[in-house]
């Protein structure tokens, strides 16, 4: 059942990315381009997503999931150097091509050639960090 | 400035994204953070099955949307070396920072996590600066 839920969640997520234009780097870069012809779409996407997720998460706080033994949620609340540095690096990379992990995967079925390059490099970056920090 | 129809679709798409995250938490107890989902998938650490299923859904969705709407068009301007560098930084940054736009930006903020709120503010600011430099200082590029 967890597999089916994950599949459904992925489908809804991918559909949301596609419908909203978030799978299109040009639209994402349009939002990040505050000095240029600004596109507010990404902001609307986030506000809309939070309008659903905030109350949803609040309702689900501390509740046992229907198909799992427990929730697997982060417990830390401290702000440390890896968080800050990592977010900086991620943001810079995000601004270079307008692509982040979710849209990169969704892009596989639209522009597979471009997506594979990005995903391969992204995977290398992830593996490198995990190797170094072990 | 995009057409109002595009902005309405942005709202609808955002709602779907929010719904997806709520479903994953409600049923599987998992955070819909794509960087973590992918990173754990490629390292085969745990939960390989549900992670693969989530990724499969994400990849398949644009095809289904495309069927309903006669195709999906996107614009990927970054030349290959820049695309690869961007990917590398996104991979390293999300691994180091423990999350991305879905993990921190949607799920983390929805949990009122100070870490996620901080992370989101930082990667947003970094994104703004990155694009400003690329487009208005260097010029050309993505």
């Amino acid at each position: 059942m967890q597999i089916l839920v994950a599949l459904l969640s992925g489908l809804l997520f991918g559909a949301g990315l596609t419908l909203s234009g978030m799978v299109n780097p040009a639209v994402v870069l349009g939002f990040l381009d505050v000095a240029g012809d600004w596109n507010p779409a990404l902001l609307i996407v986030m506000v809309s997503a939070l309008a659903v997720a905030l109350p949803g998460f609040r309702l689900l706080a501390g509740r046992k999931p229907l198909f799992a033994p427990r929730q697997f949620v982060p417990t830390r609340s401290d702000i440390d150097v890896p968080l800050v540095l990592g977010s900086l690096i991620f943001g810079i990379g995000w601004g270079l091509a307008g692509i982040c992990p979710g849209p990169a995967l969704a892009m596989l079925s639209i522009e597979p050639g471009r997506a594979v390059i990005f995903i391969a490099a992204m995977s290398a970056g992830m593996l490198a960090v995990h190797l170094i920090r072990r | 400035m995009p057409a109002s129809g595009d902005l309405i679709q942005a709202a609808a798409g955002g709602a779907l994204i929010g719904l997806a995250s709520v479903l994953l938490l409600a049923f599987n107890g998992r955070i819909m953070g794509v960087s973590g989902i992918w990173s754990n998938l490629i390292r085969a650490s745990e939960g390989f099955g549900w992670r693969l299923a989530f990724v499969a859904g994400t990849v398949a969705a644009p095809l289904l949307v495309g069927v309903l709407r006669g195709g999906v068009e996107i614009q990927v301007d970054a030349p290959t070396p820049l695309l690869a560098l961007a990917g590398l930084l996104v991979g390293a940054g999300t691994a180091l920072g423990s999350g991305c736009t879905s993990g921190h930006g949607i799920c983390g903020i929805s949990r009122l996590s100070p870490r996620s709120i901080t992370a989101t503010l930082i990667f947003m600011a970094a994104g703004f600066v990155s694009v400003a430099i690329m487009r208005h200082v260097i010029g050309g590029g993505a």
Side-chain angles (χ1 to χ4, degrees):
Chain A
M1 283 311 292
Q2 280 198 37
I3 306 274
L4 286 176
V5 169
L7 179 67
L8 177 64
S9 176
L11 284 167
L12 290 170
F13 175 61
L17 288 177
T18 309
L19 210 72
S20 64
M22 294 299 97
V23 74
N24 187 353
V27 173
V28 173
L29 290 171
F31 167 76
L32 293 174
D33 191 4
V34 287
D37 190 11
W38 189 60
N39 185 341
L42 193 146
L43 183 62
I44 291 166
V45 176
M46 291 219 57
V47 169
S48 178
L50 288 170
V52 174
L54 254 158
F57 274 55
R58 194 190 191 93
L59 268 163
L60 295 170
R63 280 183 193 253
K64 186 198 163 298
L66 265 107
F67 301 142
R70 64 175 179 89
Q71 282 186 349
F72 296 81
V73 295
T75 49
R76 293 178 60 186
S77 54
D78 60 303
I79 285 131
D80 61 354
V81 171
L83 183 83
V84 173
L85 189 62
S87 302
L88 257 162
I89 293 169
F90 165 48
I92 292 168
W94 190 32
L96 290 182
I99 305 169
C100 63
L105 294 174
M107 196 183 288
L108 274 169
S109 58
I110 311 169
E111 286 273 354
R114 314 309 288 150
V116 162
I117 292 166
F118 185 93
I119 293 166
M122 178 178 80
S123 303
M126 288 173 169
L127 291 172
V129 166
H130 281 285
L131 224 83
I132 291 167
R133 296 188 85 201
R134 222 150 37 121
Chain B
M1 183 62 65
S4 56
D6 289 339
L7 299 181
I8 290 168
Q9 281 181 174
L16 285 176
I17 291 169
L19 179 63
S21 72
V22 171
L23 285 179
L24 200 67
L25 185 66
F27 289 91
N28 293 8
R30 294 283 183 168
I31 293 293
M32 195 185 78
V34 185
S35 65
I37 291 173
W38 181 255
S39 165
N40 281 284
L41 183 70
I42 60 174
R43 289 177 297 135
S45 58
E46 55 85 25
F48 190 85
W50 75 263
R51 294 177 197 280
L52 189 65
F54 180 86
V55 170
T58 304
V59 174
L63 290 169
L64 298 174
V65 174
V67 163
L68 296 168
R69 310 173 84 228
V72 178
E73 275 191 31
I74 64 172
Q75 191 183 327
V76 191
D77 290 327
T80 298
L82 187 64
L83 197 63
L85 177 63
L88 199 68
L89 294 175
V90 165
T94 54
L96 194 62
S98 307
C100 59
T101 42
S102 56
H104 281 310
I106 305 295
C107 299
I109 291 179
S110 293
R111 292 174 51 239
L112 305 177
S113 158
R115 280 176 63 83
S116 291
I117 292 166
T118 304
T120 304
L121 289 170
I122 293 174
F123 68 64
M124 284 285 174
F128 293 143
V129 171
S130 183
V131 172
I133 291 173
M134 287 295 294
R135 286 193 169 182
H136 305 288
V137 175
I138 297 173

